């Protein structure tokens, strides 16, 4: 079995790669930062996530002449960084931060689905894209987090449209919008103090949960929006 992990430098992506290695399977790890994994089963590729760089990366993968690509994990996502803060009030919304999150959380994943289509259209493949429960419009009871919520809601809509097109053009593909829960990573660090210890997951736990969910999913051509327990999330 061959897998592709995109956004491979994140903590959850690294846990996924380790999970794949445990199963003695090969993985292509794609990251915007050097990510040398000391394992012969891991092929590390650099990509800056521009359209040209994504295209070059796909061409590189084609040259590997893999027998199949069975799993794809798109782990890209930004909540905050040195210049972007989570908005708690309308007055905190800034156009540059908003567009940066839209680009990272919505545009980059759909550009990958665009580029991957010719590569996997004749295969049986399960594609996981990391979404978030806060991208659910019907589940929003707290407000705030304007840019992040909007970017994940936009991602979900893009995935819905892509799943419809994939079902027509690539019938063996399953797309999963996955909510990992609150995981002990840099993304969640500023918000962990309000999270019960049993609700703060390790990346390894999330990777194991995701593996179990994927094992039970059928390639039915439909988009699923599931949490770490495998439970459906309302749109």
């Amino acid at each position: 079995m061959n897998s592709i992990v995109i956004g491979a430098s994140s903590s959850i992506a690294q846990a996924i790669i380790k999970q794949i290695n445990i199963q003695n399977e090969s993985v292509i790890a794609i990251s915007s930062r050097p990510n040398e994994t000391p394992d012969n089963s891991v092929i590390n590729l650099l990509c800056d996530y521009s359209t040209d760089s994504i295209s070059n990366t796909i061409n590189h993968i084609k040259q590997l002449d893999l027998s199949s690509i069975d799993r794809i994990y798109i782990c890209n996502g930004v909540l905050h960084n040195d210049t972007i803060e989570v908005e708690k009030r309308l007055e905190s919304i800034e156009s540059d931060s908003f567009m940066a999150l839209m680009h990272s959380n919505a545009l980059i994943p759909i550009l990958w689905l665009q580029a991957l289509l010719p590569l996997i259209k004749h295969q049986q493949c399960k594609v996981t894209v990391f979404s978030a429960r806060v991208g659910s419009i019907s589940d929003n009871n707290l407000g705030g987090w304007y840019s992040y919520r909007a970017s994940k809601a936009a991602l979900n809509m893009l995935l819905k449209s892509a799943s419809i097109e994939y079902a027509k053009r690539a019938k063996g593909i399953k797309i999963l919008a996955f909510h990992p829960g609150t995981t002990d990573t840099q993304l969640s660090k500023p918000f962990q103090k309000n999270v019960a210890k049993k609700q703060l997951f390790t990346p390894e736990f999330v990777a194991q949960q995701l593996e179990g969910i994927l094992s039970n999913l059928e390639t039915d051509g439909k988009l699923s929006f599931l949490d770490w327990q495998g439970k459906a999330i309302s749109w």
Side-chain angles (χ1 to χ4, degrees):
M1 183 179 289
N2 299 299
S3 299
I4 298 175
V5 179
I6 301 166
S9 63
S10 74
S11 298
I12 296 178
Q14 284 294 301
I16 290 171
I17 292 170
K18 290 178 183 177
Q19 182 72 28
I20 294 170
N21 287 340
I22 290 172
Q23 300 171 32
N24 295 316
E25 299 163 1
S26 62
V27 59
I28 299 169
I30 300 170
S31 177
S32 61
R33 299 193 295 270
N35 183 44
E36 294 300 326
T37 305
D39 192 304
N40 292 332
S41 65
V42 179
I43 300 172
N44 291 286
L45 300 179
L46 275 174
C47 178
D48 66 13
Y49 303 132
S50 66
T51 302
D52 288 344
S53 187
I54 291 173
S55 177
N56 290 337
T57 303
I58 293 294
N59 287 333
H60 191 143
I61 295 172
K62 288 179 180 178
Q63 293 171 12
L64 297 175
D65 197 25
L66 301 174
S67 58
S68 66
I69 298 172
D70 307 278
R71 302 272 177 89
I72 296 172
Y73 306 83
I74 302 177
C75 306
N76 304 81
V78 174
L79 172 58
H80 61 87
N81 56 32
D82 292 341
T83 60
I84 298 174
E85 295 183 357
V86 173
E87 315 99 335
K88 296 180 180 179
R89 306 173 66 213
L90 281 166
E91 290 83 352
S92 300
I93 299 173
E94 297 180 353
S95 59
D96 288 347
S97 297
F98 181 89
M99 295 308 297
L101 290 191
M102 278 290 183
H103 183 268
S104 295
N105 297 338
L107 181 59
I108 287 177
I110 203 65
L111 287 178
W112 275 110
L113 285 177
Q114 177 191 63
L116 286 163
L117 177 58
L119 187 66
I120 61 175
K121 65 186 300 182
H122 299 302
Q123 302 187 28
Q124 295 282 321
C125 182
K126 296 174 182 178
V127 182
T128 300
V129 184
F130 276 68
S131 184
R133 191 182 300 275
V134 296
S136 166
I137 294 174
S138 61
D139 191 66
N140 182 2
N141 299 308
L142 297 176
W145 293 43
Y146 288 92
S147 298
Y148 189 68
R149 285 186 186 276
S151 66
K152 290 299 186 178
L155 171 64
N156 289 347
M157 181 58 80
L158 290 168
L159 295 180
K160 179 62 176 179
S161 291
S163 69
I164 293 170
E165 185 167 353
Y166 261 69
K168 297 174 182 176
R169 301 176 60 189
K171 297 185 182 299
I173 308 302
K174 173 68 176 182
I175 300 177
L176 167 65
F178 179 63
H179 169 65
T182 304
T183 310
D184 188 10
T185 65
Q186 287 301 314
L187 184 144
S188 70
K189 285 291 184 187
F191 315 102
Q192 291 182 8
K193 63 181 180 180
N194 296 321
V195 179
K197 187 174 181 179
K198 64 179 180 180
Q199 293 297 324
L200 181 63
F201 308 133
T202 65
E204 291 74 21
F205 173 79
V206 172
Q208 292 169 6
Q209 290 294 113
L210 177 56
E211 173 59 29
I213 291 168
L214 289 172
S215 297
N216 292 316
L217 284 183
E218 297 181 4
T219 51
D220 56 9
K222 298 179 181 179
L223 173 66
S224 294
F225 186 16
L226 304 177
D227 70 7
W228 58 276
Q229 301 174 92
K231 294 183 178 181
I233 300 173
S234 61
W235 300 102

